[in-house]
Amino acid sequence: METGAPEVTLLRLPTGPCAVAAKMAALGSGGARWRQAWLPALQLLRRGSKAVTRHWKAMHFQRQKLLALTEYLPPRAAPPPRCRPRPPAGGLLHTGAAQGCPCALTPCPQEDGYARVLQAQLQAVLRASRMVAVCQYNSMAEEDVATLRHFLRRHDIHVKFVLNEVARPVLEQSKWRSLLPLFVCRNILLVSAEPRAREMLRVLKGVPQVNLLGACIDDTILSRQGVEGVARLPPLEVSQGQTVAALALLCSQTPSLLQQGPARLTALLEQHMQRLRGPGSR
């Protein structure tokens, strides 16, 4: 039966001992075709230069930062009592007397001298300032801080970086004690010898890292909304000019007011004299 497909002729290989010997001889000393077909597909031999991966390689800088931030720093051990400085004479506090132990003595906590200097400087700044603004400070670049100081110094507004540990004792004993709730996070003070609320808000509008929390202007505690209300007020020179104009207007009207009464009295007297003379007399 014809199907139209080409016929494939099958080659029968000899299976006798002579044929096997001939095949082995062909593989051992024969052509390259039989040798290439016999080699395995996976060759274990490496040619060329060998890749050495044991050389030192610098770590990526982002990984270095991550490792530096996450590195565990154990707390420093406290020095033994024999290595601590002895308390000064008279600087002992009886803490065990209430418990029946009169020998329990501990040194009194003493204030740091540098902290006292900072507190004295802060007191001098607050006394010489009519406007004290408390702002929340977020991290900024040094160039941005220098630019902020420059623009504020144009309007005679100075930036003071004060620690909460230094500011709290000073405010507790002054008239600015109402500003204590604002000293919670990292804060800065904007002080000025004159109330410059409008200029301060104009500069802080372009610095989102500094948020105004409250201020004390002319011994008046104000919130942020109160400072914005003060900034909308006209300047002092304009208010003084309006007051002088109003007083001058009243002074100019005073002569006319004083002359109005006698003029009316004179008119009434003339009319009364005409009635007494009679209708025909003039």
Side-chain angles (χ1 to χ4, degrees), residues 231-243:
R232 287 192 293 267
L233 295 177
L236 181 60
E237 293 78 6
V238 177
S239 301
Q240 291 176 351
Q242 294 176 355
T243 304

Side-chain angles (χ1 to χ4, degrees), residues 83-158:
C83 298
R84 298 177 184 175
R86 295 183 178 180
L92 299 179
L93 177 65
H94 290 268
T95 57
Q99 303 176 1
C101 180
C103 299
L105 301 176
T106 57
C108 296
Q110 297 183 358
E111 190 176 5
D112 188 10
Y114 182 63
R116 291 199 300 269
V117 173
L118 295 179
Q119 292 175 4
Q121 293 178 356
L122 180 59
Q123 289 177 357
V125 169
L126 294 178
R127 283 195 299 266
S129 304
R130 295 179 55 188
M131 184 186 73
V132 179
V134 183
C135 301
Q136 179 184 1
Y137 175 75
N138 299 315
S139 59
M140 297 173 55
E142 295 182 0
E143 295 81 2
D144 298 339
V145 175
T147 305
L148 176 63
R149 286 178 178 270
H150 171 70
F151 282 106
L152 289 176
R153 198 179 293 115
R154 282 183 175 182
H155 307 288
D156 196 17
I157 303 175
H158 302 277

Side-chain angles (χ1 to χ4, degrees), residues 168 178 205 252:
R168 284 182 176 276
S178 300
K205 186 177 181 180
S252 63

